[in-house]
Every structure is written in C-alpha cells, then in structure tokens.
Amino acid sequence: MSQETTYLELSEVDGAHKFYEVIVDNATLTVRYGRIGDQGQIKASAYPDNARARAAAAKKIGEKVRKGYAPAVPGVRQKRTVSRRQIVSTRSTAHTAPVLWRYDSGAPAFGIFVDGQHCMVGNEHGVITTLDHDAQVRSQVRLPDGVKCIVADDAWIYAGCDDGNVYDLSGKMPRVAYAIAPEIDIYWLDIHDGVLGVSDADGGITAVDHEDEFLWRRPGRGRSAWMVRCDSDAIYHGHSQGVTGYEWRTGGELWHTRTGSVLFGWQEHGSVFAGTGTREVVRLSKAGRLERTYRCDAPVFSCATAEGGQYVFAGDSQSSIYCFDAAGTRLWKLGTGCGSAYSMQYHDDRLYVVTTGGHLACIDASEPAIRAAQAGDVPEVRDVKAPREAPRPVQPTVVEVTSDVDAGVVVQCLDDRGRLRVQVLSDGYRRDWSVQFPKGIREPGARYLVTEVREAGRGGFYRAFGDIRRLR
C-alpha cells in the first residue's frame, strides 16, 4: 500500500512560522512538526489497520486547517533567523583576571552550568561540553540547534535551545522534556519544581508545567526579555522596561519595577538581580522593592552572586568583570582576556564565565589571587582545546529496546481522555501520579524501563531520571 503524505504550514508576518506533516504508511501514522526549516519532532503511532490510521490522520489534519494551516511545499519557505545578541565586545583596559584555564568551545557561548562535579558550556552550534574542575573534557553532545542556556532543577539539568525545545540532559542521550511553541524565540529560561518559565525575543513570558502543557502565556511589558527566574512563589521576568513578578499558577501580575533595560538576571533566596544596559546591576526584593545598585562602567551582560549574596559579580560589554560586596562597594574590576561574559556562575572561590569568544573560563576569585592580579601578577593560562572530532547531532526520538525488566523502573504510557500520560507500574510508587516523560517517544500502551523515578516538584508527580529504554 502506498504512503500518503500531507504537509501543512502556518506562517505569519510577526507570529507563527511552523509546519505540520502527517504520513500514513499502512497502519502506521507518523506526525512531524516544528519550526519551518528545522527537522522538528517526530511521533509515530500504530493502528489496527490502514483505515483507522487514515481516519486519525484526517482528524489531525482537520484540526490544523481550522487553526490556519494550509498545504505547502517543503523547502519553499525558509527558516527564520534566530535572534542573537548583536554586540561589539571591546578589549578591557583593566588588569587581566587570574584565569586558571579556558576551554575554546568554537562558537559564542551562552549556556553555563557548574556544580561540585561538572563545568558545562553550551554554544551557538548546539555543542554542550562537560569538563571537570581540572579542565579535563569528560563528554560532548550536540543538540539540533544553538544552546541558549543550561539550568538545573534538583538533580535534573536542562538545556534551552534555538529550536524551541528544552532538553533533559540527565541520561546518556538528551531527550525533549518541554516542546515550547515553535513561534516562541527563546531568550532565556528557568525551572523550579517542574514549572518552566520562558522569556522570549518579543518580551513575552510563558509558564509550562511538568507535563509540557502551557499554564499561561503573557505578552509582557517590554521587549527583548533576557531574564527569567523562578521560585516556589513567583516567576521574575526582566525585559526592556524593567522587572515584573508573576504568580506562577495563574500568571497574574504581582508587581512591576522600572529599571534600565534588563540584559541578564540572577536570584538569591530573598532577592533578584538584574544586569542592565544602564551600566548597573539592580538588586530587588522579591516583592519588587529596590534594595541596592552596583555600578559598572559599561552595559552589564551577565551577573551572579556568591551564596547568600555576600559578593555580587558582573560582566560588561568591554570584556571586564567586577566584584562588589553586598553593600554595593566595588572591590575590583579585571579583564577576562577572552571576550565579554555572556553568562557566569560562582562556585567555591572560582568565577566561571562563558564569553562572546566562545570560551568557558575559570577565574580564581580568591582574595590572594585577586590582589596579585591587581598588581599585574597572574598565573599562566592553561588553554584547553576541543576534541578533534565534533559530536554528531542527537536523535532524541530514538529509543533502545530491552527485555531486562530488573534493570530499572517500569512505566507505562496510557491514553487519558485523549492525552497520553505516563504512570509507574513498579511497586512502591503511587499509581495516581504521572511521570514527567518525553512526549516525542510516547506511544499508547507502550511500557518503558527508566534508570530511576523520583518524586519531584510541588507534589503529585514523578520524574524519569537517567536512561530510557522501551520494553519488548
């Protein structure tokens, strides 16, 4: 029996730019969807016979046509350009910082994540490299598009990408944990207890729950929203007109504080920090009250704090980094030697930055090292090269098959009133709780083996952790 393919597109001048393809091959229905010009996500479903597969396809096509999709020819419309930070990074005139090592990722880098074991950098080519604190490259993975940011939620690490997807990096192979609407141009994201906050190029703010379903979406008060931070009470959104707090469940506005145009954001337990185009870092209470300003000499593209806000760090567009005490006194200013810091993170007396030059740099931020650097005495930088062979792009929908049910936790995909949910079958877990599980590999009735399942979030759901394999 011949294969039947229907290809649709929805393209608006200042809005959606996405495709939807439906393929019926005998009794198998395959749907591919995403941004025009991307490979997109693929989902295959098996039906008892060709007639039922065709009926399901017709239903899906009809739903899309009613939403404005129309027949098109693949490849005629071109992929829209992804928004990038277009800045001129000049060389710092300050003394050079005590850089211990720097890794050249090969492209400008926004994504950074540092903990006790890992130092991760994600660049515009979609390559995420994991190093240890001694600068040894441990692993590399290449996502389908450029990496905007890397964030953690308890033991789970996620990467937000230019293809509109958020990938779970906790297993051997990255999986799509959240599929943000294709028309949303992600600028930054944050996650807390499974609730994802996404800020975008148009200044909008979106909240998505652990099942990858939209809680709400707001246009925001400004443009170019480079900041979003989440906690158990609110989502804090920084944009061209300042910082706005939203109630995470409903999206109701809690407060708005005008600042300079926000270019980056950070948070501590009781405060949020916004790096601005008006050459300062602004500290606000989580009720929106202005608490302190930290003055720099150029627009601030990144900021971070030591634990508890004891020190506040900033990176400007002139390749300089700053350190302030909590009261706002500038303690030092030094040059990175490898470009302006797009993002940064402080850990264990070291400041890690990812730069316009594509480097992940480890800076000794201890007092003796800083005093020596201010006097012109810095250690010799250890330059770390990327592996010669670049990693191949991942295929997030490929799943290994196994029959070894004793090697993990068994979960099953069920149809719940038209929505595919995943629940735990193994003993010791609540049957009424769902599991955060990649949508791209869900099939009705299928059973999967996951490395581990952990209680997570605000109560009422689990997360799959580690590798995922389908049971025969």
Side-chain angles (χ1 to χ4, degrees):
M1 189 170 292
S2 63
Q3 179 176 287
E4 300 176 21
T5 301
T6 302
Y7 180 83
L8 307 172
E9 288 183 347
L10 175 62
S11 184
E12 302 166 337
V13 175
D14 294 315
H17 193 64
K18 49 190 178 180
F19 73 90
Y20 193 83
E21 183 180 60
V22 177
I23 301 172
V24 177
D25 187 0
N26 197 7
T28 300
L29 171 62
T30 302
V31 174
R32 187 171 67 94
Y33 60 94
R35 292 183 179 183
I36 294 173
D38 288 343
Q39 176 61 28
Q41 297 298 304
I42 300 174
K43 184 177 179 180
S45 302
Y47 290 84
D49 51 48
N50 176 256
R52 297 190 194 186
R54 292 179 65 187
K59 181 179 178 181
K60 291 179 180 295
I61 293 167
E63 290 172 349
K64 293 300 178 181
V65 169
R66 286 191 291 274
K67 291 181 179 180
Y69 283 77
V73 177
V76 174
R77 285 194 179 97
Q78 298 301 303
K79 180 177 180 178
R80 284 181 179 167
T81 303
V82 175
S83 300
R84 305 286 194 195
R85 280 193 176 180
Q86 301 298 323
I87 70 167
V88 177
S89 176
T90 58
R91 189 177 181 85
S92 176
T93 58
H95 284 297
T96 303
V99 178
L100 300 177
W101 55 263
R102 60 192 174 200
Y103 168 77
D104 186 358
S105 76
F110 294 100
I112 184 173
F113 175 74
V114 180
D115 63 10
Q117 290 77 41
H118 311 101
C119 306
M120 302 177 71
V121 53
N123 67 20
E124 287 186 355
H125 290 168
V127 177
I128 296 178
T129 306
T130 301
L131 304 91
D132 62 23
H133 287 276
D134 293 324
Q136 299 297 314
V137 175
R138 295 305 183 194
S139 64
Q140 274 194 319
V141 64
R142 185 175 180 181
L143 300 179
D145 214 329
V147 177
K148 273 293 199 296
C149 55
I150 305 173
V151 296
D153 191 17
D154 195 11
W156 290 265
I157 301 175
Y158 300 91
C161 294
D162 288 330
D163 64 358
N165 293 320
V166 179
Y167 293 85
D168 178 1
L169 306 178
S170 65
K172 284 192 302 184
M173 177 183 291
R175 302 286 185 192
V176 176
Y178 300 85
I180 310 305
E183 67 270 19
I184 295 179
D185 189 353
I186 296 174
Y187 264 18
W188 205 260
L189 61 86
D190 196 17
I191 186 170
H192 182 82
D193 281 351
V195 176
L196 183 75
V198 182
S199 60
D200 61 53
D202 292 329
I205 179 72
T206 303
V208 185
D209 71 8
H210 70 279
E211 280 280 10
D212 191 19
E213 294 171 358
F214 276 33
L215 292 173
W216 49 265
R217 184 176 176 185
R218 298 286 180 270
R221 283 177 169 259
R223 301 279 298 177
S224 303
W226 285 108
M227 169 189 170
V228 61
R229 295 292 173 181
C230 306
D231 65 17
S232 58
D233 298 315
I235 295 178
Y236 309 97
H237 184 222
H239 42 79
S240 62
Q241 298 300 312
V243 182
T244 310
Y246 293 94
E247 206 280 332
W248 72 265
R249 296 173 185 82
T250 65
E253 184 175 308
L254 300 174
W255 52 265
H256 172 72
T257 302
R258 293 188 65 87
T259 68
S261 180
V262 177
L263 306 177
F264 196 81
W266 190 263
Q267 72 168 325
E268 284 291 335
H269 177 70
S271 303
V272 289
F273 298 79
T276 72
T278 50
R279 305 185 178 189
E280 61 189 8
V281 177
V282 178
R283 188 179 83 196
L284 304 173
S285 74
K286 289 193 172 178
R289 178 174 54 84
L290 178 64
E291 294 182 328
R292 191 81 61 193
T293 58
Y294 305 85
R295 190 69 182 171
C296 300
D297 301 324
V300 178
F301 282 101
S302 58
C303 58
T305 65
E307 187 174 358
Q310 179 183 5
Y311 298 108
V312 177
F313 300 94
D316 71 13
S317 62
Q318 297 179 351
S319 303
S320 295
I321 51 176
Y322 304 77
C323 178
F324 303 85
D325 64 19
T329 302
R330 184 192 292 186
L331 302 179
W332 50 264
K333 172 187 175 182
L334 296 167
T336 68
C338 55
S340 297
Y342 271 145
S343 305
M344 58 172 55
Q345 190 171 339
Y346 178 83
H347 178 79
D348 197 19
D349 264 352
R350 293 182 175 184
L351 183 66
Y352 297 83
V353 300
V354 289
T355 72
T356 52
H359 289 89
L360 167 63
C362 173
I363 299 165
D364 188 344
S366 65
E367 291 185 14
I370 295 299
R371 284 197 300 269
Q374 289 174 317
D377 181 13
V378 294
E380 183 176 350
V381 181
R382 181 154 57 102
D383 280 305
V384 183
K385 301 295 184 182
R388 290 185 178 180
E389 187 174 345
R392 296 180 179 178
V394 299
Q395 296 178 289
T397 57
V398 174
V399 184
E400 295 180 14
V401 178
T402 185
S403 58
D404 184 6
V405 296
D406 296 324
V409 181
V410 178
V411 301
Q412 184 172 21
C413 186
L414 304 171
D415 189 321
D416 179 15
R417 290 169 290 183
R419 292 183 175 179
L420 293 180
R421 306 294 191 191
V422 175
Q423 294 179 325
V424 187
L425 293 183
S426 297
D427 292 335
Y429 298 90
R430 291 187 54 162
R431 296 290 190 266
D432 59 328
W433 283 12
S434 62
V435 181
Q436 185 184 62
F437 194 85
K439 281 192 173 180
I441 60 175
R442 296 184 186 187
E443 292 186 29
R447 294 189 305 150
Y448 302 88
L449 192 74
V450 300
T451 303
E452 189 175 350
V453 171
R454 300 183 189 177
E455 182 178 341
R458 305 167 198 273
F461 77 96
Y462 296 110
R463 275 193 176 122
F465 183 78
D467 299 325
I468 299 174
R469 289 173 289 173
R470 180 167 179 172
L471 288 169
R472 296 184 192 278

